[in-house]
């Protein structure tokens, strides 16, 4: 019997190495909060609260004794502070650290995004390097930090974004969407393919859902960024990735539950991207499940949100980032590969705690039927309303690229816009100019600077919430990923550092954003088609007594047209006066405005 005591070696004493979430709040809509604790020798462990205002229940430990789940119910009277829990097992004891946070002020945080905003997408690694000390973490091989490799880390960080907030304020954008800031692996993938060596500089391969990438900064710097942006009237949007994690995540070697992922590193199906199977009521279960459960790639393990512990973990994670940083919105990556019931549950949990918070989903489809299926505000054939605030309008983006590179006639724009009939409220869509996954406009076949300028003017004047991609405003070029992710040329942050082409595009973007800010009709007015032919499209944005008329003319010569403005209540005798451009104007006679449109440009008219 005595011998048994000696078999209890120190290695069997329970230990705790990680707690997700590490902190929470009192009076939160999620109460109890469920903690996932990583450690060792947790089998048989009991967890005890050392404070009566925190009640522990529903403790469960996985078979290997490496993960422990527990519910923590937080009494509303509890003050912010540190409240560790005691873990006791037959072999010893340890502590689970846990913090109750001071809540952020909901008047100045969690503000959501509306059509009053202009979103600007920043790829953190490629925008601005404000802190060279984090460029080469100790555990990173030199190839991971090779700035000449478009697939390596280039040094950009959160400090760099803070440094350039005045640039963004001057440009006029009101919200920044940052690519994921979750901690990603610091190593480098080597292979004999053209895409090696490569790294996860883009941030879509999380190895810790609760940590900030060490090359980008830390949680304190992130919070500083949100505070400084808010003080300038700029909102922050986090790129969240609930669908998958990186293959270097510790969960792959030791998942908290056997049902945590769809499959394992060794055995899983790849997503065949038969995305229409997610829309069609007639798809077969094999295609449907493959598109939901298949891995996006072999190094992107697919999370199983139909496992309730996973759904709960991810919903809490989403809300934790909002609460701890004060952000205003979320862009949800590859959202259609999440079960629609999970999208709904996540949206509802966000809105319950933060009523104005906004989430846009990436449904990368050029078919408006598919994007409209995923936006909230209506119930699909499956009986589900996702409650999702917004989707990117890839269909209109695609139409605009085709039109302004002369591959489709101008009437393709109103042709596409007629499918707004599919949306419960088309003003809620997010109209991208481009993003980090698409060829930059000026690198498309047939692209010209006037074409890029018309495309941008269209994005900034059509219905919806406009979203620009860093570098569009200075006419950057770049073909497919990763060429479309070149470093932002830091000289261009200052007016004197811009060359003629950069200046022309910057001034144009600045002017259209400014005009949008000045005219509520451009932000939220009803869109009414007035004139269209192969080369020209004219539409009104009308809100109450205010009307703004936008004319896009891609012909190489100036063009005289008659616009039937009487149909939208514009009276004879008034004058349409350009708000931007060459000073063009036209009087309204017999319900029609005679306008002379300059070649290859966009113009907006107010009514005097
Ligand atoms: Ca850096
Ligand atoms: Ca890292
Ligand atoms: Ca999935």
């Amino acid at each position: 019997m005595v011998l048994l005591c000696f078999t209890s070696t120190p290695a069997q004493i329970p230990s705790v190495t990680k707690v997700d979430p590490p902190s929470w709040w009192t009076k939160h809509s999620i109460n109890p909060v469920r903690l996932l604790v990583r450690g060792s020798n947790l089998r048989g462990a009991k967890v005890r609260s050392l404070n009566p205002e925190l009640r522990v229940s529903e403790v469960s430990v996985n078979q290997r004794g490496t993960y422990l789940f527990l519910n923590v119910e937080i009494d509303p009277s509890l003050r912010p502070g540190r409240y560790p829990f005691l873990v006791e097992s037959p072999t010893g004891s340890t502590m689970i650290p846990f913090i109750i946070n001071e809540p952020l002020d909901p008047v100045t945080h969690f503000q959501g995004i509306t059509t009053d905003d202009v979103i600007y997408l920043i790829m953190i690694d490629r925008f601005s390097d404000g802190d060279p000390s984090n460029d080469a973490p100790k555990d990173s091989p030199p190839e991971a930090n090779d700035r000449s490799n478009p697939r390596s880390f280039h040094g950009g960080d959160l400090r760099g974004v803070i440094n350039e907030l005045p640039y963004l304020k001057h440009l006029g954008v009101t919200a920044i969407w940052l690519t994921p800031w979750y901690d990603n692996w610091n190593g480098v993938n080597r292979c004999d393919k053209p895409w090696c060596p490569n790294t996860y500089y883009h941030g879509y391969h999380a190895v810790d859902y609760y940590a900030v990438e060490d090359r980008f900064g830390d949680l304190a710097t992130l919070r500083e960024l949100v505070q400084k942006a808010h003080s300038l009237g700029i909102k922050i949007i986090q790129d969240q990735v609930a669908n998958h994690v990186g293959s270097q995540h510790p969960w792959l070697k030791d998942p908290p539950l056997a049902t945590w992922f769809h499959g394992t590193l060794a055995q899983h199906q790849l997503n065949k991207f038969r995305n229409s199977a997610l829309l069609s009521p007639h798809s077969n279960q094999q295609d449907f499940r493959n598109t939901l459960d298949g891995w996006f790639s072999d190094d992107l393990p697919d999370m199983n949100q139909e496992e309730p512990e996973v759904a709960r973990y991810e919903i809490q994670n989403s809300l934790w980032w909002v609460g701890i940083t004060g952000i205003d919105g979320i862009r949800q990556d590859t959202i259609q590969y999440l079960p629609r019931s999970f999208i709904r549950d996540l949206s509802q949990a966000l809105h319950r705690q933060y009523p104005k918070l906004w989430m846009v989903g990436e449904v990368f489809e050029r078919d408006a039927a598919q994007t409209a299926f995923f936006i909230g505000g209506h119930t699909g054939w499956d009986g589900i309303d996702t409650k999702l605030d917004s989707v990117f309008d890839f269909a209109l983006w695609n139409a605009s690229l085709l039109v302004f590179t002369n591959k489709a006639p101008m009437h393709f724009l109103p042709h596409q816009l007629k499918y707004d009939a599919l949306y419960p409220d088309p003003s809620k869509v997010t109209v991208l100019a481009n993003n980090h996954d698409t060829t930059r406009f000026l690198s498309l076949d047939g692209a010209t600077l006037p074409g890029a300028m018309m495309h941008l003017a269209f994005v900034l004047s059509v219905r919806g919430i406009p979203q620009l991609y860093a570098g569009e405003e200075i006419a950057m070029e770049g073909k497919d990923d990763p060429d479309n992710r070149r470093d932002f040329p830091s000289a261009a942050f200052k007016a004197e550092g811009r060359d003629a082409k950069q200046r022309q595009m910057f001034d144009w973007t600045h002017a259209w954003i400014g005009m949008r800010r000045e005219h509520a009709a451009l932000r939220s007015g009803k869109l009414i088609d007035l004139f269209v032919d192969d080369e020209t499209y004219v539409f009104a944005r009308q809100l109450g007594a205010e009307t703004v008329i936008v004319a896009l003319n891609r012909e190489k010569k100036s063009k005289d047209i008659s616009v039937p403005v009487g149909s939208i209540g514009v009276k004879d005798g008034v004058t349409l006066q350009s708000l931007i451009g060459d000073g063009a104007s036209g009087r309204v006679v017999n319900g029609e405005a005679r306008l002379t449109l300059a070649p290859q440009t966009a113009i907006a008219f107010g009514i005097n």
Side-chain angles (χ1 to χ4, degrees):
M1 293 301 284
V2 174
L3 277 174
L4 276 177
C5 296
F6 289 103
T7 61
S8 181
T9 59
Q12 289 172 320
I13 291 171
S15 73
V16 166
T17 53
K18 188 160 178 17
V19 185
D20 294 346
S23 62
W24 207 248
W25 296 265
T26 51
K27 299 177 189 142
H28 197 284
S29 56
I30 293 181
N31 188 26
V33 62
R34 190 147 178 82
L35 308 193
L36 174 61
V37 177
R38 183 188 300 156
S40 56
N41 302 315
L42 297 170
R43 211 173 296 129
K46 295 202 163 32
V47 182
R48 208 148 50 85
S49 171
L50 302 176
N51 188 307
E53 288 162 310
L54 290 166
R55 282 176 294 280
V56 171
S57 64
E58 295 185 45
V59 177
S60 68
V61 180
N62 71 344
Q63 280 194 340
R64 289 175 307 280
T66 51
Y67 282 95
L68 182 153
F69 294 87
L70 73 150
N71 278 7
V72 175
E73 192 179 345
I74 304 165
D75 192 277
S77 64
L78 190 62
R79 310 294 309 159
R82 292 176 183 276
Y83 297 97
F85 300 100
L86 181 64
V87 180
E88 294 170 303
S89 83
T91 55
S93 67
T94 186
M95 302 295 263
I96 299 172
F98 189 63
I99 294 171
I100 296 295
N101 300 306
E102 195 81 57
L104 294 171
D105 184 354
V107 175
T108 49
H109 301 92
F110 328 126
Q111 290 303 296
I113 303 292
T114 71
T115 56
D116 288 345
D117 288 303
V118 177
I119 301 171
Y120 184 87
L121 162 61
I122 287 176
M123 179 156 251
I124 300 172
D125 182 58
R126 303 299 162 90
F127 189 61
S128 173
D129 184 0
D131 181 3
S133 76
N134 58 25
D135 290 359
K138 283 195 186 68
D139 58 347
S140 66
E143 306 112 284
N145 314 315
D146 175 8
R147 289 195 186 193
S148 68
N149 178 353
R151 293 183 174 85
S152 290
F153 281 93
H154 288 193
D157 49 36
L158 298 169
R159 180 63 55 195
V161 180
I162 292 172
N163 292 345
E164 303 310 336
L165 285 173
Y167 167 80
L168 300 169
K169 177 72 182 169
H170 173 62
L171 177 61
V173 298
T174 66
I176 304 169
W177 154 22
L178 294 164
T179 47
W181 60 59
Y182 305 123
D183 192 21
N184 274 239
W185 186 50
N186 284 350
V188 67
N189 293 308
R190 298 181 178 90
C191 69
D192 58 2
K193 300 290 194 305
W195 55 85
C196 283
N198 70 57
T199 69
Y200 302 129
Y201 68 90
H202 43 68
Y204 290 95
H205 292 235
V207 294
D208 186 344
Y209 268 133
Y210 278 95
V212 174
E213 166 56 41
D214 46 343
R215 297 162 182 271
F216 298 164
D218 55 19
L219 185 57
T221 314
L222 178 60
R223 289 172 58 124
E224 180 186 338
L225 166 58
V226 176
Q227 298 309 317
K228 288 188 168 157
H230 282 175
S231 71
L232 291 171
I234 296 174
K235 299 169 182 173
I236 299 289
I237 298 167
Q238 179 189 9
D239 205 328
Q240 294 192 350
V241 192
N243 186 60
H244 45 249
V245 295
S247 55
Q248 302 286 340
H249 197 297
W251 286 336
L252 273 300
K253 289 202 175 89
D254 182 19
L257 297 171
T259 48
W260 202 250
F261 294 110
H262 292 122
T264 64
L265 270 182
Q267 196 162 30
H268 56 263
Q269 52 177 328
L270 277 175
N271 194 330
K272 292 174 184 157
F273 300 111
R274 293 178 178 162
N275 296 345
S276 61
L278 301 173
L279 171 67
S280 173
H282 313 300
S283 57
N284 66 64
Q285 274 301 300
Q286 193 172 326
D287 286 345
F288 180 77
R289 292 309 326 180
N290 170 266
T291 320
L292 274 184
D293 305 349
W295 291 22
F296 196 88
S297 66
D298 281 324
D299 61 351
L300 285 173
D302 199 74
M303 298 285 290
N304 176 16
Q305 294 82 15
E306 281 154 311
E307 160 56 57
E309 293 282 13
V310 169
R312 209 163 161 183
Y313 179 97
E314 292 201 311
I315 288 170
Q316 289 183 177
N317 179 250
S318 180
L319 272 82
W320 184 82
W321 281 111
V322 178
I324 205 77
T325 60
I327 56 169
D328 306 285
I330 292 166
R331 178 263 188 185
Q332 188 62 247
D333 189 52
T334 60
I335 200 167
Q336 60 180 335
Y337 309 124
L338 299 169
R340 283 163 55 81
S341 55
F342 175 76
I343 302 172
R344 174 199 61 205
D345 294 348
L346 173 59
S347 298
Q348 282 182 325
L350 288 163
H351 292 147
R352 198 176 295 128
Q353 181 66 24
Y354 307 106
K356 292 162 84 175
L357 200 95
W358 174 91
M359 181 161 72
V360 57
E362 183 209 18
V363 181
F364 200 147
E365 300 293 332
R366 291 167 179 81
D367 181 347
Q370 186 118 356
T371 50
F373 183 56
F374 281 90
I375 203 168
H378 61 159
T379 301
W381 59 264
D382 55 0
I384 293 170
D385 176 348
T386 64
K387 311 277 185 184
L388 179 63
D389 299 294
S390 185
V391 291
F392 292 105
D393 190 351
F394 285 100
L396 191 65
W397 160 80
N398 182 56
S400 184
L401 296 188
L402 291 172
V403 164
F404 295 113
T405 54
N406 294 306
K407 295 186 199 77
M410 194 65 99
H411 54 72
F412 199 49
L413 295 178
H415 166 78
Q416 184 58 52
L417 283 162
K418 78 184 177 203
Y419 296 111
D420 277 0
L422 297 166
Y423 289 101
D425 180 354
S427 75
K428 289 191 179 291
V429 302
T430 301
V431 186
L432 68 155
N434 255 320
N435 69 27
H436 54 323
D437 293 323
T438 64
T439 300
R440 286 195 184 269
F441 188 97
L442 282 164
S443 292
L444 295 168
D445 291 340
T448 60
L449 188 60
M453 292 166 78
M454 285 186 278
H455 170 65
L456 204 72
F458 179 61
V459 167
L460 286 166
S461 59
V462 74
R463 92 287 181 267
I465 302 163
Q467 176 254 300
L468 314 182
Y469 172 36
E472 300 281 300
E473 78 278 20
I474 52 162
M476 275 181 81
E477 296 178 20
K479 291 195 175 292
D480 287 350
D481 166 11
D483 191 43
N484 52 5
R485 300 163 174 191
R486 296 178 197 173
D487 295 358
F488 193 100
S490 54
F493 286 129
K494 296 271 180 286
E496 59 272 21
R498 289 172 211 138
D499 64 25
K501 190 175 176 184
Q502 290 172 332
R503 196 178 319 125
Q504 193 179 354
M505 195 68 182
F506 182 91
D507 292 349
W508 176 259
T509 310
H510 180 259
W512 278 84
I513 294 175
M515 192 166 51
R516 188 178 169 90
R517 188 170 52 238
E518 296 301 316
H519 296 278
L522 270 179
R523 302 194 301 273
S524 50
K526 184 175 164 56
L527 189 154
I528 303 160
D529 293 334
L530 290 176
F531 177 95
V532 68
D533 63 18
D534 284 359
E535 305 296 327
T536 305
Y537 177 36
V538 182
F539 60 89
R541 298 293 310 274
Q542 200 166 43
L543 181 72
E546 188 186 26
T547 301
V548 174
I549 291 170
V550 177
L552 299 147
N553 176 36
R554 70 176 195 188
E555 273 192 36
K556 290 202 169 74
K557 54 185 191 322
S558 64
K559 179 167 179 171
D560 294 324
I561 58 168
S562 284
V563 181
V565 292
S567 69
I568 55 168
V570 178
K571 299 271 188 297
D572 282 1
V574 304
T575 301
L576 272 58
Q577 184 65 50
S578 65
L579 300 167
I580 192 168
D582 59 0
S585 65
R587 262 172 76 81
V588 179
V589 178
N590 295 331
E592 297 209 328
R594 294 286 300 170
L595 298 174
T596 301
L597 303 179
Q600 293 192 294
T601 194
I603 187 164
F605 296 91
I607 290 165
N608 288 330

